[in-house]
Amino acid sequence: MDIAGLSAIQKYAAAKPATEPDEGAGATGSARAAFQDFASTLAHAEQSAKAAMVGDADPHALVTALAQTELVVETAVTVRNKVVEAYQEILRMPV
């Protein structure tokens, strides 16, 4: 794993509060929760940006929302890159 990817994942994990794992949810439930968290973080940042454009938001809240969005996007890109890398590795396997 590259340093930038590891750093992005660690920063995102540190920025989000720890929650109890869902009993019996498995990998599908975890993936669904991660995607929902990703979508809600992006929606929150978009709402903060809109509020800042009309002058209704605190600049500190906007910067915080944008920083969280950056971490989420970096994490998503890192995960995507790892999935593509694993898929390419599978394709190279002899049958």
Side-chain angles (χ1 to χ4, degrees):
M1 180 175 279
D2 61 340
I3 298 298
L6 182 61
S7 176
I9 292 170
Q10 288 173 340
K11 287 180 184 176
Y12 180 69
K16 301 304 287 180
T19 58
E20 292 292 319
D22 192 4
E23 299 290 299
T28 305
S30 298
R32 183 176 295 127
F35 291 132
Q36 288 173 345
D37 185 41
F38 175 77
S40 67
T41 301
L42 292 179
H44 175 68
E46 184 177 349
Q47 290 171 351
S48 296
K50 286 180 182 178
M53 286 182 200
V54 295
D56 292 341
D58 177 32
H60 179 69
L62 176 63
V63 170
T64 302
L66 292 177
Q68 286 180 340
T69 302
E70 181 181 7
L71 289 175
V72 167
V73 171
E74 285 179 8
T75 303
V77 168
T78 301
V79 169
R80 184 218 45 189
N81 290 344
K82 290 298 177 182
V83 168
V84 169
E85 184 180 314
Y87 178 73
Q88 290 173 343
E89 193 67 30
I90 289 170
L91 288 178
R92 282 188 228 123
M93 288 182 175
V95 178

